[in-house]
Every structure is written in C-alpha cells, then in structure tokens.
Amino acid sequence: MSKPILISGTQPDGRLHLGNYLGAIKNWVELQNSEKYECYFIIVDYHSLTVDFNPTEKKEEVLGVVRAYLAAGIDPKKSKIFVQSRIPECTELAWILNTITPLGELERMTQFKEKSENKESVNTGLLTYPILMAADILLYDARFVPVGEDQLQHLELTRTLARKFNNKFGKTFIEPRAILSKASRVMSLDNPSKKMSKSHPETCLFLDDPPKDIEFKIKRAVTDSGSEVKFDLEKKPGVSNLLLIYEALSGITIPKLEKKYAGKGYGQFKSNLAEVAIKTLATFRESKFSDKKLKSILTNGAEKAKKIASSKMQVIKNRLGLRV
Ligand code: TYM
C-alpha cells in the first residue's frame, strides 16, 4: 500500500530562524525518518513575493533554504525537495480555488491582518496567499501538513476549500490534517507574547547566527520576576518559552530541566541554554553544499513533483468541464 503524502514548505525571504526549525523543519526530519510518509518539502518562492524583496538576492535565498533543509537532515533520497514556481500547475490551481473562496474568509486571516496593519497600500497577493498555500497542498493529495501554529488558520481554509470543491464538482481533493510539533509556537526572546519572527532580528535566533550572537541574544532574553526556573505560561511566559526551546533543542524534558535548575537562578540556566543552542545550530553554520548539488536536487525534485501535479491537474480540469 502506498504511504500517505505529507507536505510542507518555507518561504525563501531571508534567513531561517529557530521558530522555523523547532516549529516545523525539525519535525519534518523526524516524520521523514519514521518512513511512514511520502514527504514533499517545498521552497515557496511565489509566496515570498508578497513582501518587499530584492530580485538579486532571491536565488541565494532559495538555495539558502535548501541548504538549511539538508543541514537539518532532510534527505533528497527519501523526500522530494522542489521550488514552487517550477510547478506552474500550482498557480493554475490557485486561480481555480480563487473562484470558490469567499473574500470574507481571506480578510479574517490573522496573518493578513498583521501584515497589512498600518499599511497605506496592501498588495492583493498578501490577501490571496492562503489560496496559493491551499493549492500547494491539494495538488499533491497531501493528507498531512506539519507546520507551526501560525499556519493552522490557513490549513483550515485549505480543508474548507477541499470540501467545497468536492461538494460542487465531485470528490477530487483530500482534506489534509495538520501535524504540530511540541514547540509549535516559539516566541520572541524579548516579548513572549509575540511569535519569534525575522522582522525583529535582535529578538530572533537565526539558524546561522555566530555563537557570540546566540550567547548575547539568549543572555538578554526577557525572563520574568522571581528567579525560579519553572514552566508556567501565564505567570512566567519568558522562562516558559526558554524552557520549551531548551527541551526541543536538547531532548531533556521540561520537568527534568526544572529539577536541574532548582535553586540555581536564571543566569546558569541561560548560559547552559546558550551552550546547547550553539552546539545544536553548529550544523547550520558549518554545512557546506555546493550550489551545483543544491540545484541538481531541485531539478530532480521538480521533475518528480511535475509528473504528479500535471496528472492531478487533468483530473481537476475534467471535473470543471474545461477539457474540450
Ligand atoms: P513560513 O515560511 O512563514 O514558515 C515556515 C514554517 O515555520 C513555522 N514557523 C514557526 N513555528 C513556530 N514558531 C514560530 N515562531 C514560527 N515561525 C514560523 C511556520 O508555521 C511554518 O510551518 N505559508 C507558509 C508556507 C507554505 C506552506 C505551504 C506550508 C506555503 N505552502 C504548504 C505548508 C504547506 C509560510 O509562509 O511559512
């Protein structure tokens, strides 16, 4: 029997950070290695056009994401790795899905609201972005989508669109389910009520940060009043975020960490966490893959994805009566 398909993706819009890794990519590697799924990992370059970007940097940003995937342990022999724009069927399907998406559903998306807040002018791509994401997922009949918590609303829309299309035109799409990691919402180091994001570089640990930056950022991370290293999301959100990060990086459970640092205060806890982060992230700083190798992985991945996408597109067009 064939394995269920699992899909996820990352935007090539700058350097990847700890939220991307602990919320998504680290989990992908474990799911890939479980051998229970047929895995597809996309570099969603069309998505990344929805924010300001520099065309001369885009190629390096795409390759940077592939490099991070490989450094994390995504294996091109086990998983398909490809760039979204190499599969035009994805944008074709996005157009079709546009026609069944209520505008109100897009306008209520939290990410759209956040990204368009206080902007004089907002591009339409920012609004329709979740439809493109739905196309990425539905095109390949994915059953599972491992993402961070911030993508759950988009995935819910994907399920709604699959259901709506199926009801209108006959069973065509699978309603995919999310898979969340334990650290599915890594918070900012200086404000534990906000998610870690590259838009605030000083409060975000990048995967390729040099050790001195990692140490500096963790040492100045916000902790809460008192001095006890204890997991309590309500009363101690700063320390709880650091504990979640520590657990995800080291594999040592939070109760064990609480015991280890009982009576020791924040200083030693932070300095040990910095050591663990420096050690774990070494793989990203030190990884060396030639551009040639990365490009050949992408060509290979795109060839395989293209075959699946074009045959699914035929089915979709048939359902819509578009094949004359
Ligand atoms: P993107 O590029 O913003 O983020 C990539 C992955 O990282 C997760 N993530 C986080 N997880 C925990 N804590 C954080 N602070 C944090 N920040 C980011 C995201 O949840 C995501 O899983 N729309 C998607 C990309 C996409 C996609 C897809 C994903 C396009 N098509 C199809 C799955 C399937 C995005 O912009 O992710």
Side-chain angles (χ1 to χ4, degrees):
M1 221 177 72
S2 59
K3 296 178 189 176
I5 293 168
L6 174 152
I7 281 186
S8 203
T10 310
Q11 295 195 50
D13 61 355
R15 299 157 70 199
L16 297 192
H17 58 75
L18 199 65
N20 300 129
Y21 179 53
L22 299 181
I25 302 171
K26 183 169 183 283
N27 205 18
W28 302 353
V29 176
E30 283 155 24
L31 293 160
Q32 165 199 267
N33 293 343
S34 75
E35 315 238 319
K36 287 195 208 145
Y37 310 93
E38 170 102 35
C39 298
Y40 297 41
F41 299 115
I42 319 178
I43 298 96
V44 293
D45 55 348
Y46 275 154
H47 273 95
S48 71
L49 307 186
T50 55
V51 291
D52 279 344
F53 69 98
N54 181 346
T56 60
E57 287 167 8
K58 193 50 76 189
K59 192 171 108 192
E60 198 32 58
E61 287 177 333
V62 169
L63 294 181
V65 175
V66 189
R67 214 171 273 129
Y69 283 4
L70 299 187
I74 301 293
D75 178 350
K77 290 200 193 80
K78 294 183 182 164
S79 301
K80 297 177 187 61
I81 305 174
F82 59 96
V83 177
Q84 183 182 44
S85 65
R86 293 276 288 267
I87 314 294
E89 286 81 356
C90 171
T91 34
E92 271 188 81
L93 177 56
W95 173 257
I96 292 167
L97 296 176
N98 258 295
T99 65
I100 58 163
T101 309
L103 186 57
E105 293 269 340
L106 298 176
E107 283 169 339
R108 70 178 185 83
M109 294 286 145
T110 308
Q111 225 173 60
F112 171 69
K113 286 194 210 152
E114 281 171 3
K115 288 189 177 172
S116 58
E117 209 175 31
N118 302 325
K119 293 247 166 71
E120 240 175 60
S121 148
V122 174
N123 73 71
T124 310
L126 212 50
L127 180 73
T128 54
Y129 151 127
I131 303 180
L132 187 58
M133 174 164 165
D136 276 331
I137 298 168
L138 300 181
L139 187 58
Y140 303 98
D141 289 328
R143 245 174 228 290
F144 297 102
V145 186
V147 280
E149 224 176 87
D150 61 341
Q151 299 299 322
L152 288 182
Q153 215 184 11
H154 299 160
L155 200 62
E156 209 37 60
L157 176 71
T158 306
R159 292 168 57 83
T160 305
L161 295 182
R163 214 161 34 239
K164 207 165 167 191
F165 189 102
N166 290 346
N167 287 340
K168 252 181 138 166
F169 304 109
K171 174 101 182 90
T172 310
F173 295 123
I174 291 172
E175 280 184 50
R177 292 222 317 262
I179 300 182
L180 287 182
S181 74
K182 207 168 164 203
S184 61
R185 193 164 171 81
V186 177
M187 307 312 269
S188 153
L189 294 178
D190 85 328
N191 181 353
S193 69
K194 284 213 167 109
K195 121 186 137 157
M196 183 179 281
S197 133
K198 61 191 111 201
S199 44
H200 300 285
E202 357 46 83
T203 66
C204 164
L205 278 191
F206 292 103
L207 300 184
D208 59 355
D209 262 343
K212 65 171 182 12
D213 289 9
I214 298 179
E215 204 177 349
F216 179 74
K217 288 179 185 177
I218 291 181
K219 285 211 168 134
R220 63 187 284 278
V222 160
T223 33
D224 314 284
S225 55
S227 61
E228 216 186 343
V229 177
K230 192 144 189 47
F231 189 81
D232 183 335
L233 280 175
E234 238 171 69
K235 295 198 190 111
K236 286 180 162 274
V239 174
S240 301
N241 186 39
L242 295 181
L243 273 167
L244 273 168
I245 293 175
Y246 201 147
E247 178 185 64
L249 287 173
S250 67
I252 307 172
T253 63
I254 290 179
K256 280 197 179 143
L257 290 170
E258 286 174 334
K259 231 189 222 166
K260 182 171 172 185
Y261 292 102
K264 294 203 173 118
Y266 296 147
Q268 185 170 353
F269 168 65
K270 281 178 160 184
S271 114
N272 289 166
L273 171 57
E275 278 167 32
V276 170
I278 290 169
K279 202 166 147 215
T280 316
L281 300 183
T283 174
F284 296 99
R285 292 191 300 276
E286 291 160 11
S287 75
K288 289 196 177 35
F289 301 99
S290 69
D291 284 8
K292 195 168 158 222
K293 180 179 163 87
L294 302 178
K295 284 180 192 166
S296 107
I297 289 171
L298 292 177
T299 305
N300 207 292
E303 265 167 26
K304 292 183 184 146
K306 171 84 192 163
K307 271 194 203 132
I308 301 159
S310 64
S311 86
K312 182 74 185 182
M313 212 47 222
Q314 304 233 354
V315 175
I316 298 166
K317 284 186 174 171
N318 273 337
R319 293 272 193 274
L320 295 167
L322 293 177
R323 299 203 69 83
V324 182

